Amino acid sequence: MSVGNGGSAGHLAVRDLSIHFPTDDGLVRAVDGLSFTLERGKTLGIVGESGSGKSVTSLGILGLHKGGHARISGEIWLDGEELVSASADAVRKLRGKKMAMIFQDPLSAMHPYYTVGHQIVEAYRIHNQVSKAAARRHAIDMLGRVGIPEPAQRVDNYPHEFSGGMRQRAMIAMALSCDPELLIADEPTTALDVTVQAQILDLMRDLQREFDSALIIITHDLGVVAELSDDILVMYGGKCIEYGTADDVFYRPEHPYTWGLLGSMPRLDRAPTERLLPIKGSPPSLINVPPGCAFHPRCPYEERTEGRASTEVPGLLETEGGHLVRCHLPREERRAIWENDVKPMLETT
Amino acid sequence: MTTPKDTAPVSDAPGSAAAPGEGAARQGEPLLSVRDLQKHFPVTKGLLQRQVGAVKAVDGVTFDVYPGETLGLVGESGCGKTTTGRLITRLLEPTGGSVAFEGRDITHMSQGHLRPLRRDMQMIFQDPYSSLNPRHTVGTIVGAPFRIQGIETEHGVKKAVQEILALVGLNPEHYNRYPHEFSGGQRQRIGIARTLALKPKLIIADEPVSALDVSIQAQVVNLLEDLQNELNLTYVVIAHDLSVVRHISDRVAVMYLGKVVEIADRKSLYGAPMHPYTNALLSAVPIPDPKGRAGRDRIRLTGDVPSPLNPPPACRFHTRCWKAQEVCKQQEPPLVELATGHKVACHFPENAPAQKADAAV
């Protein structure tokens, strides 16, 4: 992965980001040494199960852990500015303006007491010196662009008067109202029905092209990731365990966890399989991440590493052209397993 | 709008022919017969609680479930699939229609008379966090059915419970632990153990895996299948995830606004869907194949599901349907069998046998 200086290599550059929370039960290593870069106009999908640290990462980039108990280290560069060491005030000025977020549940992310228009106007006027009337025109314009019918009337509706899909559209309008360079969508369609999900995914794809922002989409749904992402980062136990282009991760995955995710998922685009191929066990607690490779207690190939899996943390190493994998197995062996054992199982079983 | 025929993202290649129970399950008498089932929730207003309307959550649902098969009930939120499940188990009182279990009409049976039947008919709930009493141990939770039904077991309840725990893949030594000591997937196994305690014939599973992580989801799906083979269970699986439903079901019913719009065996439903709504649902599912996204033409349904408080007249899908004609606004299409075992409620079905002869196979 190319990591440049101060964002020159990418609009967003995250380097060795760690976010730890001290608790009574121990230190929660929610994010542990995460690095990636992202250009404007590109989409990064972050995939992982619950407790893998994907949402904490997004809140960390937005600076929403500042002032809490979190211990944050590493660097986050956005367009030449470093955010980890920046003051909470400085980050707040960027939030909404240069970076914005779309949350999973628009009903709880929007204030029920204010109209949708009011909330968009407020966000817009904090960052732009414009009159209320101009901001309102902008809000109506944005609502129209995200596909809300009769935006001039709907702008005065309260969130509860919108349906789930429309609320998510309104939230996207709010997030895009200041034309942010970075947009983070945390499970943007998980709360929606499948037909509405398809509408929102189409909308996000179209708007990203139009606004040319960098988009991070965080989800557990590999289908959603495949629809939108250029690059994919797979997280497990607070660490990136595989990173590559969408093609790398879907057609040439090299980490046993990624294989497990692909095998766990029933797929409509293939003939039905007799049985799913689940991963044994359950995801680790972030207080008590297994030593060595965090995945080793669930890994079917653990014994092939001669004990290194349980003692030594594998490095995130490049296997080919920007495709990074954190695994002790030698590259040739991983490829042989994928080609001979895993891939045929996924396709036929 | 595109023609859905070539956009349906489903490949039902020969692999599916080997699936167990497909078609073969439909023999003999149905275990469960649901006829024109209705549930209207009254909407009241004012001091006198005058009824001003009704949410027609379930409005005339008819299907049969045969012993040993799995029927999947799919639909979007508000389509009435969960209400249907609760009507079948009589957790809700039906407004109209009938439910027959093993030939006995249980539609309005009193709770006292129902109790013996509950042994044969159990439910798995969606949320393994709220469906287990946090103050009871696993032993108490899984042993409750024995106590309630007053069943004597050969080696005592504890032994019986431990056998069931082992059956669902939990450690029998965890008998004295509390639900909070388990992960989400393990809790769902506890819920499954509880439903299995009395060796039921029919299990209604309401979104049994949707609260679980992908890797755990697969474990629970496999467990449900193993248990079905081992104990000869019959399932009604209620879910919104079309790929999970295809994986575990023998037959699938698609619901929209309180009605079944299409019901067929899995192969015909996913391979040659007839109802435009089924087509739209299938084409909306995101496919985990980055190359596929460029070539796919999705059917874009506009808008949301209308409110069941005030559903559109006649065909309820006509407001979002690209094939809708005048007749769809005037006349409700009946659920008719267009191919063997393939029923659809539409005036202009796709993949009808005339166009596609092999759809019925």
Side-chain angles (χ1 to χ4, degrees):
Chain A
M1 184 168 14
S2 60
V3 178
N5 288 323
S8 59
H11 249 82
L12 175 72
V14 171
R15 250 176 286 160
D16 202 24
L17 178 69
S18 291
I19 303 176
H20 296 173
F21 300 92
T23 68
D24 290 346
D25 296 327
L27 190 64
V28 177
R29 292 186 168 83
V31 180
D32 207 19
L34 190 69
S35 302
F36 62 86
T37 58
L38 185 61
E39 308 283 340
R40 264 200 109 141
K42 292 283 182 190
T43 302
L44 172 73
I46 300 185
V47 195
E49 297 181 277
S50 46
S52 61
K54 53 194 196 303
S55 289
V56 174
T57 305
S58 66
L59 297 177
I61 294 171
L62 287 174
L64 292 173
H65 290 306
K66 281 182 183 292
H69 293 288
R71 292 185 195 150
I72 307 171
S73 64
E75 294 168 27
I76 301 168
W77 291 91
L78 178 68
D79 199 19
E81 281 180 85
E82 208 287 310
L83 304 183
V84 172
S85 57
S87 70
D89 268 350
V91 177
R92 187 166 59 230
K93 291 204 176 95
L94 296 178
R95 206 185 299 134
K97 175 86 182 147
K98 283 200 165 179
M99 51 190 185
M101 180 134 177
I102 301 167
F103 293 93
Q104 172 173 352
D105 179 3
L107 191 57
S108 54
M110 290 181 124
H111 201 301
Y113 195 81
Y114 297 103
T115 61
V116 172
H118 179 103
Q119 298 183 53
I120 299 176
V121 164
E122 185 188 15
Y124 188 60
R125 288 191 75 212
I126 285 174
H127 299 289
N128 296 282
Q129 303 294 325
V130 293
S131 68
K132 274 188 181 166
R136 186 182 155 86
R137 277 197 301 279
H138 183 69
I140 294 170
D141 175 46
M142 287 307 301
L143 288 176
R145 282 162 88 172
V146 297
I148 288 180
E150 298 169 355
Q153 281 81 51
R154 304 300 299 223
V155 71
D156 292 321
N157 280 170
Y158 290 90
H160 76 266
E161 295 174 279
F162 277 30
S163 68
M166 296 227 300
R167 255 179 240 136
Q168 199 58 291
R169 285 173 192 269
M171 193 144 76
I172 293 172
M174 198 189 304
L176 291 176
S177 64
C178 294
D179 192 9
E181 287 162 23
L182 171 67
L183 186 62
I184 301 180
D186 190 353
E187 303 270 9
T189 58
T190 307
L192 305 175
D193 278 319
V194 61
T195 55
V196 181
Q197 165 172 287
Q199 295 168 11
I200 298 291
L201 291 179
D202 285 344
L203 175 71
M204 287 179 57
R205 192 183 301 121
D206 295 346
L207 289 175
Q208 196 210 5
R209 256 179 232 144
E210 193 182 328
F211 285 79
D212 195 36
S213 48
L215 175 65
I216 298 181
I217 179 155
I218 293 171
T219 177
H220 67 280
D221 187 331
L222 289 168
V224 171
V225 173
E227 292 277 337
L228 292 178
S229 306
D230 299 303
D231 294 331
I232 294 173
L233 192 159
V234 185
M235 281 187 87
Y236 188 81
K239 286 189 163 69
C240 168
I241 55 105
E242 183 153 11
Y243 175 92
T245 61
D247 283 5
D248 284 340
V249 173
F250 278 99
Y251 304 127
R252 298 178 288 279
E254 289 200 21
H255 198 286
Y257 177 63
T258 315
W259 301 338
L261 283 182
L262 291 169
S264 298
M265 201 178 35
R267 294 177 62 152
L268 280 187
D269 58 333
R270 298 207 173 138
T273 54
E274 196 76 6
R275 277 180 84 73
L276 299 176
L277 307 166
I279 308 171
K280 65 180 178 187
S282 41
S285 146
L286 291 170
I287 293 185
N288 210 346
V289 179
C293 172
F295 186 60
H296 85 263
R298 305 177 73 192
C299 183
Y301 307 102
E302 183 252 334
E303 73 276 9
R304 299 199 192 188
T305 63
E306 291 146 2
R308 282 164 73 211
S310 53
T311 51
E312 213 181 298
V313 179
L316 187 66
L317 301 175
E318 183 159 5
T319 160
E320 194 173 10
H323 184 183
L324 310 179
V325 182
R326 192 187 287 279
C327 183
H328 281 304
L329 295 174
R331 181 195 301 174
E332 291 69 33
E333 196 171 343
R334 287 197 304 255
R335 288 194 178 157
I337 296 173
W338 165 250
E339 286 296 333
N340 303 329
D341 300 347
V342 183
K343 200 172 158 195
M345 290 283 272
L346 294 182
E347 281 171 2
T348 49
T349 323
Chain B
M1 218 51 84
T2 53
T3 49
K5 210 169 155 191
D6 34 54
T7 56
V10 181
S11 67
D12 249 282
S16 62
E22 202 146 9
R26 307 188 61 211
Q27 285 159 7
E29 290 297 302
L31 184 67
L32 178 77
S33 278
V34 175
R35 291 284 170 274
D36 197 29
L37 194 63
Q38 295 175 355
K39 178 68 191 178
H40 298 175
F41 294 101
V43 178
T44 56
K45 200 175 176 183
L47 192 61
L48 297 172
Q49 295 291 294
R50 208 157 34 87
Q51 185 174 338
V52 292
V55 177
K56 295 179 178 172
V58 175
D59 202 19
V61 164
T62 300
F63 59 82
D64 288 323
V65 184
Y66 293 86
E69 77 166 350
T70 303
L71 175 75
L73 271 184
V74 283
E76 297 181 282
S77 48
C79 73
K81 55 191 193 300
T82 293
T83 308
T84 305
R86 298 195 167 192
L87 290 171
I88 295 169
T89 43
R90 285 289 317 279
L91 297 177
L92 288 171
E93 189 70 27
T95 312
S98 72
V99 181
F101 181 70
E102 292 190 302
R104 291 171 70 188
D105 188 341
I106 61 164
T107 322
H108 299 291
M109 199 178 260
S110 70
Q111 289 300 328
H113 284 99
L114 266 177
R115 185 151 291 159
L117 276 176
R118 295 237 182 266
R119 272 183 215 186
D120 294 333
M121 196 154 67
Q122 288 282 332
M123 193 150 181
I124 300 173
F125 295 94
Q126 171 172 2
D127 183 355
Y129 290 81
S130 60
S131 58
L132 302 176
N133 189 332
R135 298 171 64 137
H136 285 179
T137 62
V138 171
T140 317
I141 291 169
V142 179
F146 293 104
R147 282 198 315 282
I148 293 167
Q149 296 278 348
I151 289 176
E152 301 284 329
T153 47
E154 210 174 323
H155 302 288
V157 170
K158 183 171 177 182
K159 186 90 177 83
V161 168
Q162 288 185 328
E163 276 168 17
I164 298 162
L165 290 180
L167 184 68
V168 299
L170 290 168
N171 187 342
E173 287 162 24
H174 292 169
Y175 183 84
N176 280 321
R177 294 203 179 173
Y178 289 90
H180 76 263
E181 297 175 70
F182 295 89
S183 68
Q186 287 175 314
R187 286 188 209 214
Q188 197 59 298
R189 287 173 193 263
I190 298 172
I192 292 170
R194 176 174 57 186
T195 63
L196 290 177
L198 301 175
K199 308 235 167 359
K201 292 174 183 151
L202 175 69
I203 291 182
I204 316 283
D206 189 358
E207 301 273 11
V209 296
S210 56
L212 307 173
D213 272 319
V214 192
S215 66
I216 310 298
Q217 219 174 50
Q219 294 173 3
V220 173
V221 165
N222 281 352
L223 173 68
L224 288 172
E225 289 187 331
D226 291 343
L227 292 170
Q228 180 166 42
N229 295 337
E230 233 164 280
L231 306 171
N232 195 24
L233 299 169
T234 306
Y235 290 135
V236 174
V237 176
I238 298 164
H240 70 278
D241 186 326
L242 288 143
S243 33
V244 169
V245 166
R246 183 178 75 153
H247 185 84
I248 56 180
S249 305
D250 299 310
R251 286 191 304 135
V252 180
V254 181
M255 289 187 70
Y256 187 76
L257 278 175
K259 299 225 182 244
V260 171
V261 295
E262 183 162 9
I263 181 166
D265 65 86
R266 146 175 103 171
K267 198 180 163 196
S268 331
L269 191 111
Y270 284 87
M274 293 191 189
H275 201 283
Y277 179 62
T278 313
N279 268 302
L281 271 184
L282 289 175
S283 94
V285 176
I287 296 300
D289 182 356
K291 285 205 178 93
R293 69 184 168 197
R296 281 175 66 213
D297 261 331
R298 204 181 251 145
I299 303 168
R300 289 192 190 211
L301 281 189
T302 47
D304 295 281
V305 182
S307 157
L309 189 62
N310 194 8
C315 176
R316 294 181 171 194
F317 187 57
H318 82 252
T319 52
R320 299 172 82 197
C321 183
W322 62 97
K323 299 183 96 182
Q325 311 262 334
E326 206 47 41
V327 61
C328 303
K329 299 171 193 163
Q330 309 288 338
Q331 237 177 57
E332 183 171 344
L335 188 67
V336 288
E337 188 158 347
L338 291 185
T340 319
H342 196 147
K343 293 182 186 171
V344 62
C346 180
H347 290 301
F348 305 100
E350 323 241 336
N351 295 316
Q355 306 164 25
K356 202 170 177 181
D358 58 342
V361 183

